Amino acid sequence: MTTTIAGPAPPKSFLKFLLTLVILYSWGDTYAQEKRGTGSTVVHTDTLHQVQINARFLVAPEKSAVPHQSLKGEQLERLNSLNVADALRFFSGLQVKDYGGIGGLKTVDVRSMGSSHTSVFYDGVQLGNAMNGQTDLSKFSLDNLDELHLYTFQKSDIFQPARAFAAGSSLYLESKVPSFREGKQTNAGVRFRTGSFGLINPSAVLQQKISKNISASLNAEWQQSDGDYKFRYTNGVYDTTAVRQNGDMDALRLEAGFYGMTRDSSQWTLKGYHYRSERGLPRAIVSNNFESDDRLWDRNSFVQASWKSPLNRRFQSMANAKYAYDYTRYLDPDHYKMEGPLDNHYRQKELYLSLANKYRLNQYWNVGLSADWIHNKLDADLEFFAYPTRNTKLVAASSSLDLKTFHLQASLLGTYVSETVEAYESASNFHRYNPAISASWQPFRKQPLLINAFYKETFRMPTFNDLYYSMIGNTALQPERVAQYNAGLAYQQNLQGQIWKSVSVQANAYYNHVKDKIVAIPAENLFRWTMVNLGEVDIRGVESNVRSDLQLSNALMLHLGLNYTYQRAVDVTSGASNYNHQIPYTPLHSGSLTLGADYRKLTLNYSYVYCGERYSQKTNIPVNYIEPWYTHDISCAQILEVSGRKFKIGGELNNIFNQYRDIVLNFPMPGRSFRFTFSTNI
């Protein structure tokens, strides 16, 4: 059985033809290659844990047809962030959903489309999770990351995997790549953090130059915390201060990478990643129940490889491959069955292959063709479980026109999904075609002002949990569909003034319409729920951000960052009792402010994050109202030089005014906390 959304289903022979065409074009057509250049530029640095003070706070101006926010190098160092989720608070147009504590689940929701509509890419390859569609950002430390990029459309370069065209929004995590000064073969560095709630967090990095064109990197990090922090709780009658229980965490992360260049200047990488953790799962505080014994064990491993042909060729190819294995164990000692307490084990496997191609027709016009294949399989020791397998094929055709003052990009993505199960009934096969188009215009040649707009159709497949979870899943679910509209402007300029050195301004207005939203509703009773396509959501918003650098003297540099988001996201499901109500956990107003100062080898930083009033349920009534919250954080760091070696010491004070808050209702967040950091290069 096949569910058809747009157009007739292509025969298998046609799909095989497209994939074969991509492969043939990748390795053939050598006569179309231009003679490659012989020079290359390498940026050399000694610092593994960024210690240089006077680096630019802003990226260089760029002509991008899509809204794009980024944090790089020193910017990440300034934000007092322990992981990726903490850093994302300083982007506009998104909400970070945090279920409390160091070990709590942390996901990101961009423009209220839902966390499953945001794809996370690690070094250019997507992190998949067919089981629940969520990527826990707390598992990714900033210690080994050099850049974060958020695209609310897709990358403006059409040279990317087909999977990248499928995302409603994309978060790119770029790890640090080894680089060496002339004559050096080895770089090494260590960092140690400690602080509130029993935090112990050492990390180390080793970079080795193996040969002229091959280098390697090894990064290790251990994090432990008891997670015991105070919070304030009220039941409407009295207030009490309690200590959060079962919030401990013990996690180890290991990463290894090899980076190389072939004789024809093609680039390749091979990366291995392993993360293991054991953590407590604090429950929601309901009816004065503060106790929790739930435990969660994670083992996440993947190996991925990438190859990219030389950039200066008329015809370019890029190949990616990945194998991922994820193991999860969930234990609830308080939930007894005949055979004992609830103790579930989940094993998820993913195999991913990708081939992308770009051909330059002339200096203004490029065309691309990409094809991806993803194989997902889930095993679990649940009663009445289906043991599903999903095969997904994606083919994307794209084109871009890049004139001096005008940029146009268009793409058409074909998605073909087939599923099988070992027991019970499988979901229907599915296919769909999604168009996307974006444009930017620079009206004044001498001024770096860009006006941009885009339209894009995306969807998300129901997860394995949506379809097959015992007693809840519904195999008749349709994909959740989104139409995205955006218009905005961007201005980036490096100034020549004595004080103002750079300024960047972005503003975007957007409208998203979500159809067939997947929600859970009660079935026969409140104990048994089921997943259905029920909702429609209209999302209208404005997001803006400002960045600037000021040099007050030769020794003093100031950095300013300001973000603001207005978002009206309402349920427009026909006949719903909550029609035109703001959807849960979406504030009308949110924003952040960052201030930084560099004086010689001393850095001072201040940050403020604000989240406006929200509602915890679909109905906007007083009992569901959640008050606004805000936090103030400060930090300082000093570079010391002893016997020719640099050391960096720093301190942070977070949530200075000790505001108690719930980002997700009844999952209280920590109050005031501190951290100390020491790092050096060996």
Side-chain angles (χ1 to χ4, degrees):
M1 179 179 178
T2 300
T3 300
T4 303
I5 303 298
K12 292 182 178 179
S13 58
F14 176 72
L15 180 57
K16 291 179 180 178
F17 168 76
L18 277 179
L19 295 175
T20 303
L21 184 65
V22 174
I23 296 172
L24 290 176
Y25 269 99
S26 301
W27 301 103
D29 202 15
T30 55
Y31 62 87
Q33 300 169 0
E34 292 184 343
K35 185 178 179 180
R36 66 180 179 88
T38 56
S40 61
T41 302
V42 179
V43 179
H44 300 284
T45 178
D46 264 329
T47 54
L48 302 175
H49 298 298
Q50 189 90 17
V51 294
Q52 191 156 349
I53 295 299
N54 55 3
R56 283 276 181 196
F57 191 76
L58 290 175
V59 297
E62 60 177 337
K63 182 164 65 173
S64 176
V66 299
H68 172 214
Q69 300 178 69
S70 65
L71 290 168
K72 301 180 181 181
E74 184 190 356
Q75 295 170 293
L76 291 173
E77 290 278 338
R78 293 180 171 277
L79 297 182
N80 309 338
S81 300
L82 196 61
N83 53 53
V84 171
D86 292 339
L88 291 180
R89 296 179 302 159
F90 300 95
F91 283 159
S92 60
L94 59 78
Q95 292 88 45
V96 175
K97 295 183 178 180
D98 192 326
Y99 290 82
I102 292 178
L105 174 69
K106 296 173 177 60
T107 62
V108 61
D109 181 2
V110 178
R111 294 185 172 181
S112 294
M113 292 183 291
S115 300
S116 297
H117 287 276
T118 300
S119 297
V120 182
F121 293 81
Y122 196 75
D123 286 341
V125 180
Q126 185 175 341
L127 300 168
N129 189 337
M131 184 172 76
N132 58 31
Q134 307 285 338
T135 299
D136 186 358
L137 297 175
S138 67
K139 297 178 180 179
F140 297 92
S141 168
L142 296 179
D143 279 3
N144 196 43
L145 291 182
D146 193 42
E147 300 179 7
L148 298 180
H149 299 271
L150 177 66
Y151 296 89
T152 47
F153 177 69
Q154 59 204 27
K155 278 188 173 182
S156 56
D157 186 359
I158 62 172
F159 190 40
Q160 56 185 328
R163 210 171 183 180
F165 291 93
S169 58
S170 303
L171 175 63
Y172 284 81
L173 315 180
E174 302 292 341
S175 64
K176 295 177 180 177
V177 177
S179 58
F180 306 88
R181 282 188 177 179
E182 188 174 353
K184 288 201 67 175
Q185 303 291 324
T186 305
N187 296 325
V190 295
R191 172 177 287 179
F192 181 80
R193 289 191 186 94
T194 188
S196 300
F197 323 128
L199 175 67
I200 300 175
N201 181 209
S203 64
V205 60
L206 174 66
Q207 297 175 350
Q208 181 66 44
K209 190 173 184 180
I210 299 174
S211 67
K212 179 181 178 181
N213 293 322
I214 300 176
S215 60
S217 175
L218 177 64
N219 185 270
E221 179 184 19
W222 177 54
Q223 185 179 124
Q224 185 181 57
S225 172
D226 57 35
D228 296 337
Y229 56 85
K230 293 182 179 180
F231 66 94
R232 188 166 58 236
Y233 170 76
T234 179
N235 63 358
V237 179
Y238 62 87
D239 294 340
T240 185
T241 299
V243 176
R244 194 64 160 146
Q245 298 182 19
N246 200 36
D248 63 291
M249 178 181 183
D250 188 309
L252 174 68
R253 177 183 58 83
L254 299 172
E255 294 185 51
F258 292 88
Y259 309 82
M261 181 178 295
T262 61
R263 291 182 178 180
D264 67 349
S265 297
S266 296
Q267 299 177 0
W268 61 267
T269 61
L270 177 63
K271 191 173 190 67
Y273 175 95
H274 176 72
Y275 176 90
R276 72 115 184 103
S277 71
E278 178 186 351
R279 67 186 79 188
L281 294 180
R283 292 180 180 174
I285 306 298
V286 179
S287 302
N288 296 324
N289 182 10
F290 304 99
E291 303 291 332
S292 174
D293 296 315
D294 297 18
R295 306 295 296 177
L296 184 71
W297 291 262
D298 283 311
R299 303 287 187 273
N300 307 111
S301 302
F302 66 76
V303 177
Q304 67 185 45
S306 299
W307 170 86
K308 184 183 294 185
S309 64
L311 298 178
N312 56 354
R313 290 183 175 178
R314 190 168 188 175
F315 185 88
Q316 291 179 253
S317 295
M318 175 172 57
N320 292 301
K322 178 180 178 180
Y323 175 77
Y325 175 80
D326 298 319
Y327 166 81
T328 302
R329 179 190 174 195
Y330 170 66
L331 174 66
D332 183 358
D334 298 329
H335 186 161
Y336 271 88
K337 302 185 296 182
M338 293 184 61
E339 59 271 22
L342 181 67
D343 190 359
N344 293 143
H345 302 76
Y346 305 85
R347 293 174 176 84
Q348 185 176 187
K349 301 174 184 177
E350 177 176 295
L351 179 62
Y352 170 65
L353 299 174
S354 172
L355 207 49
N357 303 271
K358 184 174 76 170
Y359 183 76
R360 187 172 69 250
L361 296 174
N362 55 47
Q363 60 179 325
Y364 307 111
W365 191 6
N366 294 281
V367 293
L369 184 63
S370 304
D372 289 10
W373 174 68
I374 309 112
H375 175 82
N376 297 102
K377 184 175 177 59
L378 177 64
D379 293 329
D381 54 357
L382 302 177
E383 294 179 340
F384 312 110
F385 192 64
Y387 301 95
T389 298
R390 173 179 293 173
N391 285 284
T392 305
K393 306 178 185 70
L394 304 103
V395 178
S398 57
S399 181
S400 66
L401 184 67
D402 195 358
L403 305 176
K404 290 184 178 180
T405 60
F406 181 74
H407 180 91
L408 179 68
Q409 180 189 135
S411 63
L412 180 64
L413 174 70
T415 305
Y416 314 90
V417 181
S418 61
E419 301 202 3
T420 59
V421 295
E422 296 181 14
Y424 309 107
E425 182 181 359
S426 71
S428 301
N429 294 338
F430 167 83
H431 72 270
R432 180 176 172 83
Y433 303 104
N434 291 110
I437 186 169
S438 67
S440 70
W441 175 48
Q442 184 178 348
F444 311 106
R445 291 200 173 199
K446 295 185 178 181
Q447 294 294 329
L449 173 68
L450 291 176
I451 300 173
N452 60 67
F454 74 75
Y455 168 76
K456 185 175 185 179
E457 293 181 7
T458 61
F459 70 94
R460 81 158 180 96
M461 287 295 297
T463 66
F464 282 159
N465 283 353
D466 294 335
L467 295 168
Y468 305 111
Y469 197 85
S470 301
M471 312 299 288
I472 295 177
N474 178 5
T475 57
L477 286 175
Q478 296 294 310
E480 197 173 279
R481 296 176 288 167
V482 181
Q484 300 173 253
Y485 304 80
N486 184 93
L489 57 86
Y491 180 89
Q492 295 187 15
Q493 179 69 64
N494 289 331
L495 305 175
Q496 303 299 322
Q498 291 185 343
I499 296 179
W500 292 94
K501 294 301 180 182
S502 59
V503 63
S504 170
V505 180
Q506 289 190 51
N508 290 278
Y510 57 88
Y511 168 70
N512 300 330
H513 182 71
V514 183
K515 296 185 66 177
D516 292 329
K517 192 165 184 64
I518 299 172
V519 297
I521 63 170
E524 289 91 351
N525 52 57
L526 290 178
F527 176 77
R528 184 176 179 182
W529 292 56
T530 188
M531 309 302 296
V532 297
N533 293 111
L534 186 64
E536 292 191 40
V537 178
D538 272 347
I539 305 161
R540 293 174 171 85
V542 176
E543 61 185 34
S544 59
N545 59 73
V546 178
R547 301 282 186 272
S548 188
D549 288 351
L550 298 86
Q551 183 143 19
L552 303 184
S553 70
N554 289 336
L556 180 61
M557 191 85 170
L558 298 183
H559 313 286
L560 167 69
L562 180 65
N563 292 321
Y564 169 74
T565 301
Y566 169 83
Q567 192 164 243
R568 178 69 173 159
V570 296
D571 192 326
V572 292
T573 304
S574 178
S577 60
N578 57 305
Y579 184 84
N580 214 34
H581 286 207
Q582 188 86 344
I583 63 176
Y585 295 107
T586 302
L588 277 176
H589 306 280
S590 60
S592 65
L593 170 69
T594 58
L595 297 173
D598 300 336
Y599 181 74
R600 301 187 188 278
K601 296 183 178 181
L602 174 69
T603 65
L604 300 172
N605 304 289
Y606 163 80
S607 63
Y608 169 78
V609 176
Y610 172 81
C611 179
E613 59 186 18
R614 301 156 294 149
Y615 291 89
S616 63
Q617 301 294 328
K618 294 188 293 183
T619 306
N620 297 171
I621 57 178
V623 71
N624 297 329
Y625 177 80
I626 304 179
E627 293 182 346
W629 61 265
Y630 58 85
T631 59
H632 300 265
D633 307 324
I634 58 173
S635 71
C636 64
Q638 175 74 47
I639 294 178
L640 305 175
E641 194 164 339
V642 179
S643 301
R645 189 181 303 280
K646 290 183 179 180
F647 299 88
K648 184 177 181 179
I649 56 175
E652 309 165 19
L653 184 61
N654 300 313
N655 195 0
I656 300 172
F657 300 108
N658 200 35
Q659 188 190 53
Y660 294 100
R661 67 203 190 280
D662 291 4
I663 296 178
V664 177
L665 185 65
N666 297 326
F667 287 87
M669 297 293 294
R672 186 185 299 114
S673 64
F674 67 87
R675 281 199 298 262
F676 294 106
T677 303
F678 169 85
S679 63
T680 186
N681 300 312
I682 301 172

